[in-house]
Amino acid sequence: MSIGLLSLIVIALAAAGFLIGRQLALSKAGGDIRRLHSLPGYYGQTVFLFTAVPALLLMLLWLLVQPLLIETRVTSMISAADIPDGSSANLVMTDVRRVAEGIDLILARGQLGETDIAAMRADLADVRSRLAEVGVAVGTNVKPGVFEAAKAYRDLSHGGHLALTVAVLALALAGFGYALSRIRPEFRARNVSEGFVRVLLIAASLVAILTTVGIVLSLVFETIHFFRLYPASKFFLSTTWNPKFGGGSDLGIWPLIWGTLYISVIALVVAVPVGIFAAIFLAEYASKKVRAMTKPLLEVLAGIPTIVYGLFALITVGPVLRDWFAQPLGLGTSSSSVMTAGLVMGIMLIPFVSSLSDDIINAVPQSLRDGSYGLGATQSETVRQVILPAALPGIVGAILLAASRAIGETMIVVLGAGAAAKMSLNPFEAMTTVTVKIVSQLTGDTEFASPETLVSFALGLTLFVFTLGLNILALVIVRKYREQYE
C-alpha cells in the first residue's frame, strides 16, 4: 500500500469519526444540545483529531527513522572487499539502492519471481545485464556481497513498509475507538479541541526555527564530511578553483568569494542610490497622483523572473558594454562580464530598496517634519537631517535585504557573468560566484561521497556565515546610529 493511499485511508477514517462522534454526542444527550458541555461539532473534532493526528505523526516519524536504520543495517553487511579502490561505503550503498530498485522492476515486469531472485547469485548470473534490461544502469559488475546487500535492503524496506501500514492503521483505529469511548454529555470536548489547535499553532511557529536549525546542521555535517576528504587549509587558502571528478581537484574558495563580492558591490552601487532617491521622491516630493502611478510601475521590476533579467544581460546589456566600453578601452572582448551581471542585478534590486525605504520614510511621524519646518528648515534639510536619521534602521534593513538577494543570485550571474572562477580587478572579464558553483557541482548524476560534490555544502556554509556576519554588522550599525523617538 502506497503512502498516499494509506494517508487517504487515515483521513477518511477520521472524517467518518467526525460524523459518528457528532451524532453519538447528540444521541447521548437525548437530542437536547443544551445538555452537552460543548457544541456537537467539538465532539466530532475530538474523534477526528485522535484518529488522524497520532497516526500521521507515527507515519512521519517512521518514514524519517526507517531509512536510517536500514542504511546502518545494510552498510554493516558490506565488507572491505566489496568497496573498490578509490571508492567509499556511501558509493557502494548507492549501487545497493540501484540494484534493489532494479530487482523491484524485474519482479514488476514478471521476468523473474521471488524464488528466482532469492536463488540468484551474482557470481553465476549477469546481474548487470538484467538490470540494464529494465533501465537501471550500474557502473561496474555487481559483486556478490553487493547483490546480497541489495536483496537484504529490499527485504528490509518492504518489511518496514508493511509494518508501517499495520502500525498506522492500528493506531488510527485505536484512537478512533478511544475518542468514541470518551464521548458523554459532560465531556469537555471543546477544551480538548482547542488544546490541539494550540499545539498546532505552537508547532507552526516552530517550523521556521526548526527549518533553520535543520539547514544549518545539514550544512555542518556535510561540510565536516567534506573536510575529512579534502584539506581545510587548501579550501580556505588556495586561490585556484579547478574541480576534477575522479581526483586531483583544486578547490580554493577565494576566486568564488571574490566574484561574489565584486558582482554584489557593483549591484549595490547601482541599486542603493537609485532606490533610496526614488523612495525619497515618492515619499516627500511626489504628488498623490504621481505616486499612485510611479510606485506600482517601479515595483513591477520585483515581479520579473530572474531568467528574464539574465537574458536581458546576455542579449542586450552585455553586447552594449562590450562594443561601447570593453573593446574600445582594450579591457575585454566578451559580452559576459562582472559589469554586465552587476548592472542588471542592480536594476533588479532597485524595487527591494525603494519599496521598503519608501514605507519606512512614510512611517516617520509627521510631527518631526512639522517641527523641522517650524524651526525654519527647508524640505531638503528636513529630509537630510531629520527624516533620513529617523528612517535609518529601516533603510539599512532594505540595503541588507538587497545585499542578501545579490549574494544569493544565480541565474543572472550564469548568463551575464559567465562561469570562469578567477580573481581579477577588470570589471569587463567573465567571473563567477559561490552560488553558481554550488549549482554546477550538484548538477548531473552525482553522489554525496566525493570532495567535488561535497564542496557545495562547504560553499553553502561559508555563504551562510558570511550573510550572518553581514546581518550582525547591520545590527551594530543600526544600534549605534539609530535615533529614538517618543
Side-chain angles (χ1 to χ4, degrees):
M1 183 183 297
S2 66
I3 299 300
L5 180 58
L6 181 61
S7 301
L8 288 177
I9 292 175
V10 171
I11 293 174
L13 182 62
F18 174 83
L19 299 176
I20 295 173
R22 187 178 184 279
Q23 292 300 320
L24 183 60
L26 287 173
S27 64
K28 287 192 175 185
D32 186 1
I33 193 175
R34 294 174 298 177
R35 295 179 56 193
L36 296 174
H37 172 274
S38 309
L39 293 174
Y42 283 112
Y43 293 90
Q45 290 177 18
T46 301
V47 180
F48 181 93
L49 292 171
F50 273 96
T51 302
V53 173
L56 294 178
L57 286 178
L58 175 63
M59 182 189 302
L60 177 62
L61 183 63
W62 195 298
L63 292 175
L64 292 176
V65 174
Q66 176 180 304
L68 300 178
L69 297 178
I70 294 177
E71 291 271 345
T72 303
R73 176 75 179 276
V74 175
T75 301
S76 65
M77 299 174 58
I78 299 175
S79 64
D82 295 325
I83 304 176
D85 295 336
S87 184
S88 65
N90 288 333
L91 287 176
V92 175
M93 277 303 302
T94 301
D95 288 339
V96 169
R97 289 189 291 269
R98 287 179 177 173
V99 173
E101 177 186 354
I103 293 174
D104 286 334
L105 292 175
I106 291 173
L107 292 172
R109 296 185 181 184
Q111 297 180 2
L112 294 174
E114 288 283 357
T115 55
D116 298 325
I117 293 295
M120 183 183 294
R121 293 173 52 185
D123 55 344
L124 300 179
D126 191 355
V127 177
R128 186 179 181 185
S129 298
R130 287 278 191 179
L131 296 175
E133 292 175 1
V134 294
V136 176
V138 181
T140 59
N141 291 328
V142 180
K143 295 183 178 181
V146 174
F147 188 62
E148 294 302 320
K151 291 194 289 186
Y153 181 91
R154 176 178 173 274
D155 293 339
L156 290 172
S157 298
H158 289 185
H161 186 72
L162 178 60
L164 168 65
T165 302
V166 173
V168 168
L169 292 178
L171 185 58
L173 291 172
F176 181 87
Y178 174 72
L180 289 178
S181 68
R182 299 183 67 188
I183 292 179
R184 56 182 61 89
E186 64 273 14
F187 176 58
R188 299 175 179 270
R190 181 184 62 192
N191 296 355
V192 174
S193 179
E194 291 181 350
F196 267 102
V197 172
R198 188 180 300 109
V199 172
L200 178 63
L201 294 176
I202 294 174
S205 65
L206 292 176
V207 166
I209 299 174
L210 295 178
T211 301
T212 303
V213 172
I215 291 173
V216 173
L217 290 179
S218 64
L219 289 176
V220 170
F221 290 145
E222 294 297 341
T223 300
I224 293 173
H225 188 193
F226 166 71
F227 286 131
R228 289 173 179 169
L229 302 176
Y230 190 84
S233 58
K234 293 183 65 177
F235 177 74
F236 288 111
L237 300 179
S238 175
T239 58
T240 303
W241 174 267
N242 185 26
K244 297 178 181 178
F245 285 92
S249 298
D250 200 341
L251 304 174
I253 193 176
W254 283 108
L256 308 184
I257 294 290
W258 174 255
T260 300
L261 294 178
Y262 204 169
I263 295 174
S264 299
V265 167
I266 293 176
L268 292 176
V269 167
V270 174
V272 171
V274 175
I276 293 178
F277 290 159
I280 293 173
F281 170 75
L282 291 174
E284 300 297 325
Y285 293 94
S287 63
K288 291 184 178 180
K289 184 177 180 180
V290 173
R291 175 184 171 84
M293 294 175 56
T294 306
K295 188 172 183 179
L297 292 176
L298 187 62
E299 292 179 346
V300 166
L301 292 174
I304 298 176
T306 55
I307 182 65
V308 176
Y309 282 110
L311 293 174
F312 177 63
L314 179 65
I315 297 173
T316 304
V317 178
V320 169
L321 292 177
R322 178 195 60 197
D323 297 339
W324 291 9
F325 297 97
Q327 287 184 344
L329 296 175
L331 297 177
T333 59
S334 174
S335 59
S336 296
S337 65
V338 172
M339 186 63 70
T340 301
L343 287 177
V344 176
M345 193 184 300
I347 295 172
M348 181 194 68
L349 296 177
I350 288 174
F352 287 89
V353 178
S354 64
S355 182
L356 289 176
S357 299
D358 175 54
D359 294 338
I360 295 299
I361 291 173
N362 279 316
V364 175
Q366 183 62 34
S367 59
L368 297 181
R369 297 178 176 85
D370 296 339
S372 178
Y373 295 145
L375 292 174
T378 63
Q379 189 173 14
S380 62
E381 291 172 338
T382 300
V383 170
R384 186 174 64 255
Q385 299 180 10
V386 177
I387 295 175
L388 289 182
L392 179 63
I395 293 176
V396 172
I399 296 173
L400 177 62
L401 175 62
S404 301
R405 184 71 178 83
I407 291 173
E409 177 54 39
T410 303
M411 191 56 63
I412 294 177
V413 179
V414 171
L415 297 178
K422 57 184 176 181
M423 301 175 67
S424 173
L425 291 174
N426 185 358
F428 294 100
E429 287 189 9
M431 297 184 198
T432 191
T433 63
V434 172
T435 55
V436 172
K437 289 306 176 183
I438 290 175
V439 174
S440 64
Q441 295 306 114
L442 294 177
T443 301
D445 189 13
T446 57
E447 297 295 336
F448 300 133
S450 64
E452 291 76 18
T453 301
L454 291 171
V455 69
S456 299
F457 296 96
L459 293 175
L461 184 61
T462 304
L463 201 62
F464 174 80
V465 172
F466 183 82
T467 306
L468 180 63
L470 193 62
N471 279 271
I472 294 174
L473 178 62
L475 289 175
V476 172
I477 294 174
V478 168
R479 289 178 179 177
K480 183 176 181 180
Y481 295 103
R482 179 173 55 191
E483 296 188 23
Q484 300 288 346
Y485 295 94
E486 296 292 337

